[in-house]
Amino acid sequence: MSRRSARKNAFFLLFQMDFSEAAEFEQVKELFFAEKDEPVEETEKAFILSEVEGVNEHMDEIDGMIAACAKGWDPERMNKVDLAILRLAVYEMKFGETPVGVAINEAVELAKKFSSDEAPAFINGVLGKVAK
């Protein structure tokens, strides 16, 4: 599994977790990996979980950055797909080891694939402001 594919799986897991209570965090993770058609290698699983747990740990800070850079958009009212993409990218940019340009590019690619036609430009704009 490539890093891009692992990142996509981290996005999927973050999206799923947005619809569950914090107390269900462990169950959602277990179900996510149990539902996979093909087994996930331990290194990829470790990457996915570190990304998701990192976002979860820094959620308030991440949402604050998103709110500050997405003028007029409260994260609670954002499209859940876009929000999961933004949270993952902001985490990677500010707390992870992913280069800023890579995090932005990967987020835009996820938006092109899984969100609306307007989402890539919106996500690129918000992340560009976060990067400054």
Side-chain angles (χ1 to χ4, degrees):
M1 178 181 292
S2 68
R3 188 54 56 112
R4 176 172 276 187
S5 182
R7 188 174 283 110
K8 179 178 77 172
N9 279 300
F11 153 68
F12 288 158
L13 185 52
L14 283 169
F15 178 76
Q16 285 181 347
M17 292 175 67
D18 207 28
F19 294 98
S20 56
E21 299 295 321
E24 299 169 336
F25 185 65
E26 291 302 317
Q27 288 177 323
V28 172
K29 289 190 299 187
E30 286 178 33
L31 285 171
F32 179 80
F33 289 108
E35 293 174 345
K36 291 288 175 203
D37 292 334
E38 57 188 62
V40 178
E41 293 180 26
E42 285 304 312
T43 54
E44 281 77 24
K45 186 175 180 178
F47 174 77
I48 293 165
L49 291 175
S50 74
E51 296 280 285
V52 170
E53 290 168 355
V55 169
N56 198 41
E57 181 180 328
H58 297 283
M59 187 78 72
D60 291 339
E61 293 167 89
I62 291 169
D63 284 356
M65 286 183 242
I66 292 169
C69 294
K71 299 291 182 200
W73 284 95
D74 179 359
E76 292 297 316
R77 294 184 51 236
M78 283 183 186
N79 173 306
K80 297 295 185 192
V81 171
D82 296 349
L83 184 57
I85 292 169
L86 285 168
R87 284 175 171 164
L88 179 60
V90 171
Y91 169 75
E92 289 188 321
M93 292 166 62
K94 296 298 184 178
F95 304 100
E97 298 176 10
T98 305
V100 170
V102 172
I104 293 172
N105 182 57
E106 292 291 323
V108 169
E109 290 303 314
L110 285 170
K112 286 178 183 176
K113 197 168 193 175
F114 298 106
S115 195
S116 68
D117 291 340
E118 298 81 23
F122 172 71
I123 286 173
N124 188 52
V126 171
L127 295 177
K129 290 178 184 175
V130 170
K132 293 180 181 179

